[in-house]
Amino acid sequence: IACSVAQRHNVRVFVFEEGYIRPNYITLEESGVNGNSSLIGKPLDLNESSERDISGVKNPRRVFRNMAFCAMSYYLACAALSWRFTDYVHHRPLNPISEGGKWLLSVMRKVRFKVSQRKLPKLFEHDLINQYFLCPLQVHCDMQISAHSEFTSVEHFIGKVVSSFAQHAEQDHCLVFKHHPMDRGYTDYTTLINKLAFEHSVEDRVYYVHDLELPSLLKGARGTVLINSTVGMSSLLHKTPVKTLGQAVYDRAELTSQADLDAFWREPGEVDLSAYQAFRDYLVEKNQINGSFYKRLPDTETTTGLSWSREMLLEHSYTPDLIDSAKPPTLQLVAGRDLDQTVSEESTAYGKLASR
């Protein structure tokens, strides 16, 4: 809604999101990200390497504690002020008690899976190496799924993958579903996966794992099947072929398999590592900023990403005095007023900023 209103008023929109390349970057892209990115379908010359110096890139280590603190603060604020914003819709339930319970359950499940699946790393790193396909699952309420794919849910995706694998994969190959660690307390697909595997007579070839190390799983896999997770970029880094079933910025003929899923099981292809590196360099050059939403990096003023973001704004005709000193007005929506009326009254300065 905000983007459509801004477009009607000739206001340029830049969108932040967690990085296409993680964990050292966040994304800043004009008009939209992921399935709304201008990169979708855009031809690129991946024979040229980036000239940007990334030697100073910093790693925001150990951000989970900060992330958890921000999340708890946000949930408490939402609960305390919910009476003021009765029409607000969030992609997750906002009850701090029930959400806290989910994370306690997540901790208990983590301990349980660590014990029950302790022998699986050896299985995939030795016995089944290059004999399995990895399917990393996304968070159940991920907007990437509902907005940028044909799937209605993670369950829908699991059903399609198991059915295709059972009918078209080699008999000695296996399928490994990896649960998303941030979704551990919210969902458990054990019953569904076991039921589907039994119905398709592949129960001895389908695995469901949780806290195994992702890089190790990627290194030993024949291929990776996913919707549009950023794990696809990690898979390409490890030279493991990728099949995406949703819209993703990296889903390009130079990088991922363009065959249908049924054919991918038998002919996953190979990864062109030079094309991957060129594409990664392109992202870093054009829309990635070194940093984290949850932790301030050291020497922030000289961080390559922040200096680059200033250069990008200058490149787009924003004047230095606006970048350094001007503070755009806050768009405030007053209860009971028409949205377009409010935007019309308060967007004049934004329009001038965009035109300049």
Side-chain angles (χ1 to χ4, degrees), residues 305-346:
L306 293 176
S307 61
W308 164 83
S309 63
R310 175 187 166 85
E311 292 169 6
M312 184 198 70
L313 292 173
L314 287 170
E315 179 184 331
H316 286 288
S317 302
Y318 288 85
T319 57
D321 60 310
L322 280 174
I323 299 171
D324 292 331
S325 60
K327 294 184 178 179
T330 302
L331 179 64
Q332 299 182 359
L333 301 183
V334 181
R337 298 185 64 191
D338 177 72
L339 177 63
D340 281 339
Q341 177 188 353
T342 303
V343 170
S344 178
E345 293 177 4
E346 298 196 21

Side-chain angles (χ1 to χ4, degrees), residues 37-52:
S37 170
S38 60
L39 288 175
I40 299 291
K42 179 180 180 180
L44 300 175
D45 183 1
L46 297 184
N47 293 318
E48 296 183 3
S49 296
S50 169
E51 297 181 357
R52 180 178 170 193

Side-chain angles (χ1 to χ4, degrees), residues 16-89:
F16 279 108
E17 205 218 21
E18 292 186 279
Y20 293 147
I21 302 171
R22 300 183 189 180
N24 301 336
Y25 294 94
I26 58 178
T27 296
L28 173 60
E29 194 167 5
E30 187 170 5
S31 300
V33 296
N34 301 313
N36 292 326
S37 170
S38 60
L39 288 175
I40 299 291
K42 179 180 180 180
L44 300 175
D45 183 1
L46 297 184
N47 293 318
E48 296 183 3
S49 296
S50 169
E51 297 181 357
R52 180 178 170 193
D53 179 16
I54 60 173
S55 58
V57 170
K58 298 178 175 61
N59 184 352
R61 301 176 184 276
R62 302 184 181 92
V63 301
F64 181 78
R65 181 182 301 177
N66 297 32
M67 185 188 304
F69 176 79
C70 289
M72 287 188 290
S73 301
Y74 183 82
Y75 276 69
L76 290 172
C78 286
L81 299 174
S82 60
W83 61 273
R84 291 190 60 191
F85 306 97
T86 55
D87 294 328
Y88 177 65
V89 178

Side-chain angles (χ1 to χ4, degrees), residues 260-308:
D260 62 25
L261 179 61
D262 295 344
F264 181 76
W265 304 115
R266 293 182 180 269
E267 295 291 339
E270 297 181 355
V271 175
D272 183 340
L273 201 56
S274 62
Y276 161 77
Q277 187 61 54
F279 181 69
R280 185 185 187 280
D281 288 346
Y282 181 90
L283 293 180
V284 170
E285 178 81 28
K286 299 299 182 181
N287 57 38
Q288 299 299 290
I289 299 178
N290 183 206
S292 167
F293 289 126
Y294 304 103
K295 188 174 182 180
R296 183 179 297 277
L297 295 180
D299 302 324
T300 322
E301 294 302 319
T302 57
T303 299
T304 56
L306 293 176
S307 61
W308 164 83

Side-chain angles (χ1 to χ4, degrees), residues 199-316:
E199 289 176 352
H200 290 88
S201 302
V202 290
E203 59 266 36
D204 59 337
R205 297 165 54 201
V206 176
Y207 295 85
Y208 179 37
V209 305
H210 286 76
D211 290 295
L212 276 64
E213 290 186 355
L214 185 60
S216 297
L217 287 173
L218 290 171
K219 289 176 184 177
R222 289 183 62 81
T224 301
V225 178
L226 41 70
I227 300 177
N228 43 26
S229 167
T230 51
V231 173
M233 289 290 289
S234 300
S235 183
L236 294 171
L237 171 65
H238 292 291
K239 297 190 289 189
T240 302
V242 174
K243 176 61 188 172
T244 64
L245 300 182
Q247 289 181 294
V249 294
Y250 56 81
D251 186 18
R252 316 177 63 84
E254 307 95 328
L255 301 175
T256 62
S257 174
Q258 301 301 298
D260 62 25
L261 179 61
D262 295 344
F264 181 76
W265 304 115
R266 293 182 180 269
E267 295 291 339
E270 297 181 355
V271 175
D272 183 340
L273 201 56
S274 62
Y276 161 77
Q277 187 61 54
F279 181 69
R280 185 185 187 280
D281 288 346
Y282 181 90
L283 293 180
V284 170
E285 178 81 28
K286 299 299 182 181
N287 57 38
Q288 299 299 290
I289 299 178
N290 183 206
S292 167
F293 289 126
Y294 304 103
K295 188 174 182 180
R296 183 179 297 277
L297 295 180
D299 302 324
T300 322
E301 294 302 319
T302 57
T303 299
T304 56
L306 293 176
S307 61
W308 164 83
S309 63
R310 175 187 166 85
E311 292 169 6
M312 184 198 70
L313 292 173
L314 287 170
E315 179 184 331
H316 286 288

